[in-house]
Amino acid sequence: MRNITYFIKTNFDLCTGCSICQLVCSERRTGGYNPRYSLLQIKHTKEELVHEPVICQHCKNPYCLAVCPVNAIKKDKNTGAVTIDSDRCTGCGICMKYCYLGAIYWSQDGLKAVKCDLCGGDPVCVKECPTGALEFIMSGGEDENG
Amino acid sequence: MKMANGYMEKFLYVDLSKRTVNEIPVPQWLMQRYIGGKGFGAKILYDLLYPGVEPLSPDNVLMFMTGPLTATAAPSMRACAVTKSPLTGTFLDSFFGGHFGPEIKYAGYDGIIITGKAESPVYLWIDDNKVEICPAGHLGGMDALEVNQAIKKELGDDSVKIVSIGPAGENLVKYALISCEYNRQAGRGGAGAVMGSKNLKGIALRGYHVVRVNDLDELKKGIKFAQNDLAASPDVQELAEYGTAPTVPFASENGLLPYKNYQDGQYEKCENLGNAGQSRYLWLKSAACMGCPIHCSKIGVVRTGKYAGTTTDIVEYESAAFFGSNLDISDIRAVAHLVKLCDCLGLDSMSAGAAVGFAMEACEKGIIDSPDNVKIDFGSVEAADYLVKAIAHRSDYLGNLLAEGVKRASERLSERSMEFAVHVKGLETPAWGPRGSTGMGLAFMTADRGGCHQRGLPLGYDIGDEKWKGEPVDPLSCEKKAEIVCYLQNYLAGTDTLVKCDFGGFGIQPATYARLLSAATGCNVEEDLFEEVGERIWNLTRLFNLREGIDYTQDRLPPRFVNEPLPSGPAKGHKISEEDMDYMRSDYYRVRGWSEKGEPGKNMLEKLHLNNENIFRLSK
């Protein structure tokens, strides 16, 4: 038996760079629109031949959780979601420093660390992506031999 | 707290001569009467410019305008550049997608208004409310995409959004474009030359403002309606799959595709240039403008041959036609190279392809001689490559001549060459030879920026199965065309205030646009608003052009479409005669409520309240 982790798989080959994911994510956070406030990025490379969405993978061994000095970051036992308790977060920024993907951001007021929380289990970015470039995936759980 | 309304309620005003930067509140009346985008641009240009202003002088105004739905999640919204065209001397609006338009609003502005001329080359760096005029001497001569990369590197941030010009803009080529990030351009009419004339090599933007609407829940409902509209449209679904590439064989079949500078309307190798050829030789995946689910772009790479390794977007219909069939070039890889060259050097690929076609015909007819090192001939990729570079750099006699556009070039050459200089009011007509569609002919004759298909595209009625008032439309008759074209011009001008994308408009219904606009602004509007505002704008741009001395005598088609019958296709033998033009022109003025000389009279100005409007000024 392996632990279940839900995460958002990104498919650069399907991403059109339309940023609808970022628009709806920013809307959820701010009540308005600006991709700079979304909790995912799209890297545009090779003269825009490649649009690569980058979002928290809810790692099985999250560096952010390990380095947090105040235990503000938790991994949910049932869903595997890695989330930040903003009440505990002191805004030291060490989690951002050691997140390999750069998937942790400052809150709008610049005082706390914020990251993708999978919208509590029904991520809007996945729902609104027009091409399937973002997929909501369950990994782990019972293998074939039980 | 003030209720949000989709607007940022500020323009950024930069005077490059005085090196001053000011924020100007957007007047309430301007929002109410002109909504945004084309409406803002038309009104402000009319009010700020004095008659006869030289387009490439410091006194011309260059604007980048957004609409109340730009930068929201409302699908397929864009922005526009507005100025007086150096190519035509008319009002010019040139629309672009991508990411620059939304970033104007994220930076806190509904538009950017630029006047004057910098003493030496500069770029603007707009970082939210902090605006700097930065030296750009080191960017001189770089191509448009090199400038994009160089500025991002200099500012140390890849997320900055940039518009830039290439050498063509610096060299004041009359149809130089403004490159709006990768694969998006404000292409037509020479806005890039206006930028060049101001010594402005680029504008970099970064914005942290949140764009808020009046009723978010209503907007989200409207977005669902819009998504359903798009999904229900076969045209939009084809664009999602293949972009505009299938239009190449479609246009050829219907005799509308320019072949050898419109000498004919069909091209036997059209499939090579359409989706069949492009998907095989170029495409890798779909790409999209910000917030657009249609993803009409097909980005890819040339895999084989001389141009292997070139990254290319879809060769969209107009470019495929102008550098393909128009020049008798059937290798889509070569066409992709030539179009990319235009993008990088900063040339409108439509006017550039038309100018090259004109030159090839002029050589064919012995009116001009080929340079010593290359033979200018239809079918020659080498010749096209040579001419594109010569135009952008104005590097020799021929390049310098063609850089002025086919109207001026033909006037300088000979009367005989004017017979095959294909333009309306100086703007090279699009890749829709109108001899098989009189409605298209009338649309070109009357478009506010000259020969343009995007101000009214009556093809659906003429060639497709759309009915006008329940009746089928004869593509070769002159009846009903005025009504159809007026309706389309008004509606499109009205929705170009939002700023909608034409492709989105193929699917999204008028009522849905009204719903989205209502949700954003909080003013409850009905769908007929767009025709009403569109008619106001259309009359205003007409007044602008009349004030510039561009009158009814220029509402006509070029000789090729009038004198030479179409050699092949379903409309074989047809032309749009002087009588046809006279009939449609009179009928058009009648429907518009204009005088016989195409002037909006006192009654019309009163009806549209254009006689006693506020005047926009650049003071606080």
Side-chain angles (χ1 to χ4, degrees), chain A residues 11-20 22-24 26-27 30-37 44 46-52 108 127-128 130-131, chain B residues 71-73 99 103 106 159 182 206-212 216 219-220 223-224 227 284-293 295 299-300 311 340:
Chain A
N11 303 308
F12 78 89
D13 52 325
L14 297 177
C15 178
T16 67
C18 73
S19 303
I20 290 174
Q22 295 182 293
L23 285 166
V24 296
S26 70
E27 183 265 298
T30 68
Y33 298 99
N34 185 336
R36 292 184 192 279
Y37 295 111
H44 310 279
K46 295 192 183 288
E47 294 187 54
E48 311 238 325
L49 188 59
V50 176
H51 301 289
E52 185 189 8
Q108 256 182 289
K127 225 169 15 185
E128 297 298 330
T131 65
Chain B
T72 72
H99 288 72
E103 201 74 15
Y106 299 141
S159 76
Y182 285 83
R206 181 168 64 189
Y208 289 92
H209 288 70
V210 173
V211 175
R212 296 181 190 281
L216 186 59
L219 185 84
K220 286 159 84 171
I223 290 169
K224 289 289 162 217
Q227 288 168 343
L284 283 174
K285 74 163 177 180
S286 294
C289 294
M290 174 126 176
C292 184
H295 51 70
I299 190 122
T311 300
K340 178 85 181 272

Side-chain angles (χ1 to χ4, degrees), chain B residues 72-131:
Chain B
T72 72
S76 317
M77 294 298 159
R78 310 206 291 170
C80 58
V82 180
T83 188
K84 179 179 170 183
S85 165
L87 186 63
T88 62
T90 64
F91 166 83
L92 172 67
D93 52 347
S94 191
F95 294 80
F96 57 92
H99 288 72
F100 185 83
E103 201 74 15
I104 296 173
K105 288 181 77 172
Y106 299 141
Y109 308 104
D110 293 305
I112 304 170
I113 302 172
I114 300 162
T115 64
K117 176 184 181 178
E119 253 177 47
S120 55
V122 296
Y123 73 89
L124 275 180
W125 168 217
I126 303 168
D127 191 11
D128 261 351
N129 304 338
K130 210 177 90 211
V131 183

Side-chain angles (χ1 to χ4, degrees), chain B residues 358 367 409-420:
Chain B
F358 168 81
I367 295 171
S410 67
E411 285 165 359
R412 283 177 202 177
L413 281 174
S414 67
E415 229 167 85
R416 204 171 137 229
S417 74
M418 288 160 75
E419 294 296 313
F420 56 88

Side-chain angles (χ1 to χ4, degrees), chain A residues 49-62:
Chain A
L49 188 59
V50 176
H51 301 289
E52 185 189 8
V54 178
I55 188 165
C56 171
Q57 293 296 287
H58 297 273
C59 302
K60 294 191 171 144
N61 173 26

Side-chain angles (χ1 to χ4, degrees), chain B residues 478-512:
Chain B
C478 296
E479 298 298 330
K480 299 178 192 167
K481 302 304 162 81
E483 281 179 53
I484 294 171
V485 168
C486 287
Y487 158 73
L488 289 170
Q489 288 174 340
N490 289 348
Y491 178 69
L492 293 176
T495 45
D496 278 339
T497 63
L498 294 176
V499 178
K500 66 102 179 62
C501 165
D502 284 352
F503 296 165
F506 290 168
I508 299 173
Q509 297 300 302
T512 307

